[in-house]
Amino acid sequence: MIEPIRIGIVGLGTVGSGVVRLLVESANHISRHAGRPIVVQKVVVQDVNKVRSVQVPGGSLSTDIRHISLDPSISVVALLMGGLEPARSMMVELLKNGKDVVTANKALLAEHGPELFALARRQERSIAFEAAVAGGIPIVAAIGECLAANRIESIRGILNGTSNFILTRMEEDGSSYSDALKLAQKNGFAEADPSMDVDGTDATQKLAILAHLAFGVWVPWAEIPRTGIDGLDIDLLKYAEELGYRIRLVAVVNRAADKLAMRVGPALVKIGTPLAETRGAYNAVSIVGDAVGRMFFHGLGAGQMPTASAVVADIIDTVVGRTAITFRTTGLLSVDTPTTHMNETDTIERHFLRINVSDKPGVLARITGILGNHGISIASVIQHDVSGSPDTGVPLVIMTHQCASIAVRQAISIIDQTDVVRGRSVCLSVLDE
Ligand code: NAP
Ligand code: HSE
């Protein structure tokens, strides 16, 4: 009889419960892959009296991290709680006590990754984090290992399941933004603080991690320009559809010479393309490598079992020693990795504009005149015959030809200061391929 590996789990919420479920329900299958049984020895939570959807061994629950960190029979710990503190201190405590750690906490890695990885190296321990980016999609392994022979040219991804779920509910059922967000929370997709999902923070933190894996640089996530979906409304989705597009929260990193151009924001993607057809809590990542060409990954990016799938795979990799090899031999999140300064490159692309204009003669000419003065050529204009007034305004929707985004930003700031515009205009990128 082979001795089982005894693991600890910190956090028994959406993800932690899924991990326990998978380890119990697929025990034989997992044991075959790990070469030995994996059993949950101890669990640390915030409230030991909470009713749980999964059963853990009697007496195994505690609120004290030392319950796990000081147990010499436990060698691997899944840290499955969110936020920065006390998650950071707990990871430090676990590493210092000789535990290998598996985590899904991307906020923690994006904020404190280099220091935690340096500590893990000093302690000769490892940190595995497949579940931290794109849920069940094995994108960390794909970029870090399977595509290692490639110079990556670009990554474009839908990396936040909650935002994608909200946008899809709004476009498919006409759900309101707030109802769709509530449903995402009910389904366990959203962060404890869902503003991190909808304001683009979560996707930006994931992009920083992917960019590190792909380009070997550590870009502080807060320096990456980001916009969320929280400023969108259902009318914008309808106008986009009328033009043959959907709106998705897209994270982009492009290599431009020796620099990276990175951003996260809502963008129009053409109906029928893979990003536009990524629905609900699904995520998608499109990568271009110099040898492999374009690759596309698609799968559930949030939710209990898809995320548990990635966590358990990491636990197995750690148990069999694969994580330690990768960790030792690559400079993952090493503080020695040089940082790069992003150039806020002047992207050349098409833009979608919605400008709420006063309904009176000469307004259209004035707006198009300002755009023309900035070298922006118009591809199409929509102005429905809705009753407006000089005071309330009516939406004017403009699709531009390819033009410099800096010119569009300058033109919009001038347009928004004119006396014919009501409220702030919306300007979104259009990703045609
Ligand atoms: P969750 O449902 O809110 O569960 C969090 C768990 O952490 C709960 O069991 C909670 O204990 C425990 N916890 C909170 N504070 C604690 C403390 N001070 N000490 C000990 N335990 C504490 O969160 P989740 O959705 O499972 O997410 C966990 C992590 O996975 C987050 O970093 C998240 O970003 C990441 N993630 C989530 C998903 C997803 O789809 N949900 C996908 C990928 C990654 P109680 O149960 O006692 O309250
Ligand atoms: N809140 C995250 C999302 C969970 O919606 O994508 C997966 O990381």
Side-chain angles (χ1 to χ4, degrees), residues 106 131-132 134-135 159-163 189-191 197 202 206 283 301-303 307:
K106 57 274 166 162
L159 300 177
N160 184 261
T162 300
S163 297
F189 305 147
E191 297 302 304
D197 293 293
D202 178 78
K206 291 167 175 168
N283 280 191
T307 311

Side-chain angles (χ1 to χ4, degrees), residues 143-152 290-292:
I143 298 179
E145 296 164 33
C146 313
L147 299 177
N150 288 263
R151 270 171 67 85
I152 304 294
D290 61 350
V292 77

Side-chain angles (χ1 to χ4, degrees), residues 40-54:
V40 178
Q41 177 87 347
K42 287 181 177 167
V43 179
V44 165
V45 291
Q46 195 167 32
D47 176 3
V48 287
N49 297 315
K50 206 182 249 187
V51 177
R52 306 282 166 187
S53 62
V54 288

Side-chain angles (χ1 to χ4, degrees), residues 34-91:
R36 55 209 293 196
I38 298 176
V39 296
V40 178
Q41 177 87 347
K42 287 181 177 167
V43 179
V44 165
V45 291
Q46 195 167 32
D47 176 3
V48 287
N49 297 315
K50 206 182 249 187
V51 177
R52 306 282 166 187
S53 62
V54 288
Q55 283 200 320
V56 287
S60 68
L61 278 180
S62 169
T63 56
D64 186 349
I65 190 66
R66 288 170 303 180
H67 181 60
I68 290 178
S69 65
L70 300 182
D71 183 337
S73 72
I74 294 175
S75 53
V76 181
V77 181
L79 182 67
L80 303 175
M81 59 175 286
L84 299 182
E85 283 295 350
R88 189 199 65 86
S89 309
M90 287 181 175
M91 193 183 287

Side-chain angles (χ1 to χ4, degrees), residues 48-225:
V48 287
N49 297 315
K50 206 182 249 187
V51 177
R52 306 282 166 187
S53 62
V54 288
Q55 283 200 320
V56 287
S60 68
L61 278 180
S62 169
T63 56
D64 186 349
I65 190 66
R66 288 170 303 180
H67 181 60
I68 290 178
S69 65
L70 300 182
D71 183 337
S73 72
I74 294 175
S75 53
V76 181
V77 181
L79 182 67
L80 303 175
M81 59 175 286
L84 299 182
E85 283 295 350
R88 189 199 65 86
S89 309
M90 287 181 175
M91 193 183 287
V92 168
E93 163 86 11
L94 293 167
L95 292 169
K96 284 188 170 168
N97 283 283
K99 314 300 179 198
D100 289 313
V101 179
V102 169
T103 189
N105 188 332
K106 57 274 166 162
L108 180 62
L109 297 183
E111 198 69 47
H112 295 296
E115 81 194 51
L116 291 169
F117 278 59
L119 173 63
R121 283 202 179 84
R122 286 199 300 278
Q123 298 296 125
E124 298 186 357
R125 294 295 100 204
S126 62
I127 301 170
F129 54 97
E130 183 62 73
V133 186
I137 303 176
I139 197 66
V140 171
I143 298 179
E145 296 164 33
C146 313
L147 299 177
N150 288 263
R151 270 171 67 85
I152 304 294
E153 305 296 342
S154 67
I155 302 176
R156 196 180 269 188
I158 293 174
L159 300 177
N160 184 261
T162 300
S163 297
N164 208 58
F165 179 86
I166 292 171
L167 292 175
T168 315
R169 290 275 61 79
M170 287 168 73
E171 76 195 14
E172 288 182 359
D173 322 332
S175 296
S176 71
Y177 174 89
S178 60
D179 284 352
L181 172 57
K182 279 187 204 132
L183 193 53
Q185 289 177 291
K186 193 170 160 222
N187 288 342
F189 305 147
E191 297 302 304
D193 172 5
S195 66
M196 297 185 74
D197 293 293
V198 297
D199 73 3
T201 298
D202 178 78
T204 307
Q205 291 175 334
K206 291 167 175 168
L207 183 66
I209 294 171
L210 289 188
H212 171 74
L213 291 167
F215 303 102
V217 295
W218 184 243
V219 179
W221 70 270
E223 291 179 13
I224 301 171

Side-chain angles (χ1 to χ4, degrees), residues 368-376:
T368 55
I370 296 171
L371 292 174
N373 288 341
H374 285 80
I376 299 161

Side-chain angles (χ1 to χ4, degrees), residues 4 63 86 124 217 238 249 266-267 338 373 385 391 406 419:
T63 56
E124 298 186 357
V217 295
K238 286 183 183 156
L249 184 69
N373 288 341
D385 189 9
D391 294 331
I406 194 164
D419 59 359

